[in-house]
Amino acid sequence: MTAKSTAKKPDASSKQPAKATPATPGTAGKRNRRETVSDDDPFELERQQQTSKVVPLLRKPVKGKMFRVVCPMCDTPGFASPKVAGKEVKCRNPECLAPVFLVPDTDAENRKTTEEPKTDANQKSKLPLILAIVASVTVIGGVYFYFTSTVPDGSELAKPFDNPIIKNQSTKSMLPDKDKPIVNPLANGGQQTQSSNNNQKEPVSPEKAQKSALKSMVELSRTRDNRSKPFSRRLAAEAYAISGDLAGSREQIDRIDAVEPVLPFYKIFPLIEIGWLQLKQKDTVGLKKTLDETIELSKKIPEYGGRDSLDLVSRLSAFWVAAGNESAAEDLTSKYQAENSLAQLSAYLQIAHETNHYDFESLIDLHRRWNAPQSVATTLILISHNYDEAALNWAALSPDAMDRTEAVTQWSLAVLKQVVNQNKIPDIGLIQPAEMKLSATGNALMYARCARELATFKKPDSAKVFLSKSKSFLENVPVPAPMKLGSLKEIYTLKLPASAPLELTSQAYVQIACAEAELGEQTEANRFLKNAVQAIQATAPSLTAVQSKQNESSNFNFKEQVKDALNLDSNDRINRAIRDYRKQLNSLKSAAENRSILLVSLLSQAAKTELSASVWNIAQESQQAADVNLKEALLDSSLPATILDANQKNNDLTTQIKKALNDKIPALQKEDLLAQQTFFLVKNGKPEQAAHEINQSDLKKAWKGQLSLKLLSVLINESKFEQAIQFVTAIKDQVLREDMLNSIGAIAAIQNKVSEVSTVLESNVYTPTERISGYLGLVSGLQIAKARPVSPEPTQQPVDKL
């Protein structure tokens, strides 16, 4: 999923029996230099505390010292007396990071005691303590190993309740609320029950919590079982910068170069946070230094760096634009821009991180994705830092009409949301500066989306004003007519129109139709919905019409038809014309198939609103159309299932659809089906089973990541924090768990649940890297809470886009 995922070094326990040491040793890697305690060496303190009563291993066997011992850290062999079994020895490798280790006594159970053990009144044996530590480490290591390594891909949750942690939490989740013990400290809004008041954790001041989080991040960054040490140091550096400790951030930035693998571009992330602080403080000297550093380091961004590169593009571009380096930002975005699911996921996460908007339930739309997600994310990040004018200018830079329209539209929506949150009247003049950036069709789409957003905010009067403005831009725009295939000669010379402008027009129409329906104007809604369908039908002929023409080209007299239609006089020209004509039909067939896909997507979008009945009528009419140019096989697509899924409470419509199709309803698309299943499981208190469905699905990881973040927000918005933790724990993807813990940390801090989330992050259920990510979210949330009062509980649920 991301280039941040580096190959994990194999654990030594997979090669030899577990050593009876407090920590499971791993395979040593070559290092350029010895690290110290302050330079990522977690063993230095242990090394300093080792006693001198250890047996040094010899390089070669000698008489009486033929017993071979292999160091579990560096795999260096050594020799000593057999009596060292069960005792501590010292590795002969001077560069070994953990030179002192305990030699296991494998024959202890088979030996019989020949004399009574000697007791020392002044000194107690350390063996019981060592065995207790070994047992604890073995249990913890086993749990961690189960979660991360032992089960083949896709089956680690085939039996989700076999995992003791999930099993216990799930069993308790089935109890009535009054009998349910608190499994997660975030449960019940962070309030303990009366029976646990004696153990209730004292509130922690934000300053103390922040200091503790930063300290924990540094300590965890030193551990060997990090997914990526440079990544951990990067997160620590970001956290220090966000907290305002620039010196601490710089120190952690320097550590990025001290660990492997060498990823110098990771230093850009914390430098961006430092740059925003310098912009706010108007530190021109410091800002110039930071800006120069980011420009130089940007040359080392991997061209195919996966999530790392994508995450960096929007954040760095926004900083550069704010700092006055717009041209460099434009070059950067054009080089790394993508429109796949991974780019979309990255955009959502960076928007959340930089704009402090962690409500993925309302942010993520699973059924649509931006054409230029990094450009949109850059626009929203600039707005969050109060660079509204620069954000609008940036949004309008794209030469592509659709990309430009979606970025400017998101700018308008963000401006309106700011005004509504401030309890001000959303005047139409607020977004008028955006009109000159778009075409008439683009403006129609923008104002229609704003009208829908205002309807969601329960401001129907303002919504009607914006909707009226939207329709005014289309008064002089003719409604596209469906394409019709003509004569053989017309088909032979036919050139398809550009699809993008018609797709933009169709989106403008469908947004207006949805807004009309949401405001109760069903007649107008139906009219604009039909206009939207016609705009798609104008992009290409229908598949039925093309197939009809292909059948005609197989007739025995087709050669004569070509000769007469094209007025040809030789067999060579006729045969060449037949080949060209059939090639033209193949191209038209591809365009027709794309038309069907676009039409199903458009109507599926409308079916999730109050237009579902109208969508069903259009699907029936197109299936039964006598004109082959208007005939669409919509009833054979996933559209009927989508309508049923969106209207489960509409019994009349459900009965009508099932009767028309004789209960033979094509399945939902795989994405819609997974969303339907997991949403149902989450709503019914089975988050770990929802995670299991996501884990075993063969859909793209990035899309599953968007779904997972959306489901996480569904749980958090309903104050089901215990189940949110269960859901995160059961998710297989380690990088996704990091992203989700980051969100939970931020949300908990914003909602004043610092002590509760700290308890979760202090546990050993998650890997060090996951915990570091959670602490970064916690530090971010503390800064958000410090800047503004705690948000009140939502009075209404966000619009469901599942």
Side-chain angles (χ1 to χ4, degrees), residues 461-480:
D461 294 336
S462 297
K464 290 178 181 178
V465 174
F466 278 76
L467 182 56
S468 177
K469 181 73 171 178
S470 171
K471 293 191 290 186
S472 69
F473 286 101
L474 297 179
E475 289 178 353
N476 298 321
V477 177
V479 179

Side-chain angles (χ1 to χ4, degrees), residues 82-109:
K83 296 180 180 180
V84 298
K87 297 181 181 180
E88 290 182 329
V89 297
K90 184 177 181 180
C91 177
R92 66 179 184 81
N93 179 8
E95 297 298 323
C96 182
L97 294 177
V100 178
F101 60 94
L102 191 69
V103 178
D105 189 0
T106 56
D107 299 327
E109 293 183 358

Side-chain angles (χ1 to χ4, degrees), residues 259-272:
V259 292
E260 295 182 350
V262 180
L263 299 171
F265 75 99
Y266 269 6
K267 294 187 281 189
I268 300 177
F269 289 91
L271 286 172
I272 292 170

Side-chain angles (χ1 to χ4, degrees), residues 13 27 69 125 137 144 149 152 197 268 322 526 534 581 674 733 748:
S13 61
T27 303
V69 180
S125 173
V137 171
Y144 173 71
S149 308
N197 281 340
I268 300 177
N526 291 339
Q534 287 188 202
Y581 180 78
L674 182 61
D733 192 324

Side-chain angles (χ1 to χ4, degrees), residues 491-492 546 549-555 558-559 562 575-589:
I491 295 173
Y492 188 81
V546 175
K549 294 297 182 181
Q550 285 182 323
N551 293 336
E552 290 178 3
S553 68
S554 300
N555 293 340
F558 180 68
K559 186 173 183 179
V562 172
N575 291 333
R576 190 183 306 117
I578 291 175
R579 289 195 300 271
D580 292 342
Y581 180 78
R582 288 174 175 167
K583 184 178 179 181
Q584 171 80 318
L585 288 178
N586 288 333
S587 298
L588 292 176
K589 183 178 180 180

